[in-house]
Amino acid sequence: MAFLHLTDVELEALRLSLWVSGWAVATSLPLGILAAWVLARLRFPGKNLLDGLIHLPLVLPPVVTGYLLLVLLGRNGAIGAVLYKTLGIVLAFNWKGAVLAAAVMAFPLLVRAMRLSLESVDRGLEAAARTLGAGPLRVFFTVTLPLMVPGIITGLILAFARSLGEFGATITFVSNIRGQTQTLPLALYTLTQVPDGETGAMRLCILSVLIAMAALVCSEVLARRFAARMQG
């Protein structure tokens, strides 16, 4: 039973990971829906470039993404300096920066799931709603968005799981500060670097696997249930 007992450091890392991941997903959702709709429904010059930029974090080394965030949004960065001087906002080396790093890394998964769901929506249903006098916004919120829900659920849970596992961009952008930026992966890494840390590292490893598996199973179950409900 002693093996299953989490220390204060491990509990702190777990709570921070859940907090960071929750905020990363919540703040990404509106922009993710917009990006999915733009990529699925609009045609415009530069669409492929936009698609590539959105999915770039999937193929870039996470450390590169974290470094770019630091260069742009660090206290002396091109954008970060303006945020600090005008609004007093500092993103680097605190939990808000960890949220941003997790959101950037998880965003492609969120958008991809919702885009696939949106592309499967029957355009005839939207056309029928328009012929009955519904405007574009009403059609979106009463027809399109409800039919996208399975993809939204899948995207949210996958993004949440990806945020929980984020390491490279986080440690590069916000460092490894206990209580501020030390999430589960960073705490696990720290424990592998100290004497007698193997037991704690194994506990966090098992915990991370269980949370990720639970998220994947939950995503599949919820998406299927909602799809079955929509079909009748």
Side-chain angles (χ1 to χ4, degrees):
M1 294 299 293
F3 175 80
L4 300 177
H5 179 70
L6 297 176
T7 66
D8 291 341
V9 174
E10 294 161 7
L11 283 172
E12 195 173 57
L14 174 60
R15 286 193 294 267
L16 183 62
S17 289
L18 295 174
W19 176 260
V20 166
S21 299
W23 272 105
V25 170
T27 54
S28 298
L29 179 58
L31 187 58
I33 293 175
L34 175 61
W37 185 84
V38 168
L39 293 177
R41 293 297 173 84
L42 298 184
R43 295 183 179 180
F44 54 91
K47 178 179 176 179
N48 291 335
L49 178 60
L50 176 63
D51 193 8
L53 288 174
I54 289 174
H55 291 88
L56 193 60
L58 285 179
V59 294
L60 274 180
V63 173
V64 173
T65 302
Y67 179 72
L68 291 174
L69 289 175
L70 186 62
V71 170
L72 293 173
L73 296 169
R75 187 164 174 175
N76 296 317
I79 301 174
V82 176
L83 290 176
Y84 176 68
K85 291 177 181 178
T86 58
L87 302 174
I89 296 175
V90 178
L91 294 174
F93 308 113
N94 59 56
W95 71 269
K96 300 180 189 68
V99 168
L100 179 60
V104 169
M105 296 303 298
F107 192 69
L109 294 176
L110 182 68
V111 172
R112 190 169 185 81
M114 292 192 294
R115 179 183 179 182
L116 291 174
S117 183
L118 179 58
E119 288 175 343
S120 68
V121 171
D122 185 355
R123 303 288 291 271
L125 296 175
E126 296 174 325
R130 285 193 293 269
T131 61
L132 294 174
L137 284 178
R138 187 174 181 183
V139 170
F140 177 78
F141 284 106
T142 61
V143 178
T144 309
L145 192 61
L147 293 174
M148 285 177 59
V149 167
I152 293 174
I153 293 173
T154 300
L156 286 175
I157 297 179
L158 289 178
F160 182 80
R162 178 64 184 86
S163 298
L164 278 174
E166 168 48 35
F167 176 83
T170 301
I171 198 170
T172 307
F173 183 42
V174 296
S175 190
N176 185 6
I177 306 170
R178 179 180 171 182
Q180 280 288 323
T181 66
Q182 191 178 80
T183 55
L184 275 178
L186 274 64
L188 194 157
Y189 171 77
T190 300
L191 288 170
T192 64
Q193 307 300 308
V194 299
D196 302 321
E198 294 85 358
T199 302
M202 182 56 67
R203 278 197 297 266
L204 293 185
C205 177
I206 294 173
L207 183 61
S208 299
V209 171
L210 291 176
I211 293 175
M213 284 299 299
L216 291 173
V217 171
C218 184
S219 170
E220 185 68 18
V221 170
L222 288 175
R224 287 187 177 183
R225 285 185 178 180
F226 194 88
R229 180 180 297 180
M230 293 296 294
Q231 291 174 2

